Amino acid sequence: MQTFRYSVPDGQGKKINARGRFIRGMASDAPYQVRMDGGQLTRFQTGIAFESPQFFDEVELFNDSGAAQIIEVVISDGYVDDNRLVGQVDISGGIRAAANRTADYGAVTIYTALTPVVSENLARGSVLLQNLGGVSVFVGTDELLTVDNGVELPPGGAMSLTVTTGVWARAVSGQQDVRYLEETL
């Protein structure tokens, strides 16, 4: 087994003199093309493998990606496995490791005046709110909260939030009983 790694400019190729029956794309920024022993160019990329029924003596890597890139391949007499994860992963909202989760809960009396329910918690996974009062309360994430711009939590209703900011509430009238269950990661 031999590993080959080259910087290949766009529109150019790199010939590799190596005998083998198997080739695997190990690393590249974009798809490219491969040709064995002067045969036909074939689309290739990281993670793709090809096993030829007969030995080849020359491999050409051709970069047609639109930009220079580093291409790494493995050439071998037999199968080469690669258990690495490859490709692009887009993550929205982040990743949180959750080895030691904890929870806290309590009751808060919500007044018509702005009332904090839970403080900012950068390790918070989620907070569940439940309105046990007789009238709606309105929920928000800052001190600008009013009954006109908040999210309504009706009597008997519940909502789950996945924010790390403080959570505030205002009652439409009177004093309302709101319960919370906060998960910390």
Side-chain angles (χ1 to χ4, degrees):
M1 179 175 87
Q2 293 178 290
T3 302
F4 300 91
R5 183 179 175 95
Y6 299 105
S7 177
V8 184
D10 179 46
Q12 295 187 25
K14 177 67 180 170
K15 288 188 180 179
I16 303 170
N17 293 314
R19 184 170 175 78
R21 286 188 50 226
F22 187 87
I23 182 170
R24 177 178 290 280
M26 299 299 286
S28 67
D29 295 327
Y32 52 96
Q33 295 187 67
V34 170
R35 176 184 358 234
M36 272 81 109
D37 288 337
Q40 182 177 349
L41 282 170
T42 303
R43 179 68 49 202
F44 219 67
Q45 66 186 46
T46 301
I48 300 286
F50 174 76
E51 187 169 11
S52 173
Q54 68 245 4
F55 280 91
F56 51 82
D57 294 307
E58 180 184 88
V59 174
E60 182 181 0
L61 307 175
F62 184 76
N63 179 13
D64 61 349
S65 69
Q69 66 172 321
I70 295 175
I71 299 173
E72 181 179 330
V73 296
V74 169
I75 297 174
S76 175
D77 292 347
Y79 184 78
V80 176
D81 196 9
D82 180 13
N83 290 324
R84 294 179 291 176
L85 296 175
V86 297
Q88 177 178 330
V89 177
D90 295 324
I91 300 172
S92 176
I95 297 176
R96 294 184 182 174
N100 297 311
R101 293 179 181 212
T102 60
D104 187 27
Y105 61 92
V108 179
T109 301
I110 305 298
Y111 301 94
T112 56
L114 187 65
T115 309
V117 179
V118 292
S119 300
E120 177 181 53
N121 179 352
L122 297 178
R124 179 184 301 129
S126 65
V127 61
L128 175 69
L129 305 178
Q130 182 182 29
N131 182 1
L132 297 181
V135 299
S136 291
V137 297
F138 288 82
V139 177
T141 57
D142 60 36
E143 296 178 50
L144 301 175
L145 172 70
T146 68
V147 295
D148 294 325
N149 67 13
V151 176
E152 184 176 11
L153 180 56
M159 72 170 56
S160 179
L161 303 169
T162 56
V163 297
T164 58
T165 62
V167 177
W168 301 80
R170 283 185 187 264
V172 173
S173 64
Q175 301 175 1
Q176 305 306 314
D177 182 11
V178 170
R179 307 295 170 97
Y180 69 89
L181 175 62
E182 179 181 35
E183 175 192 36
T184 299
L185 304 178

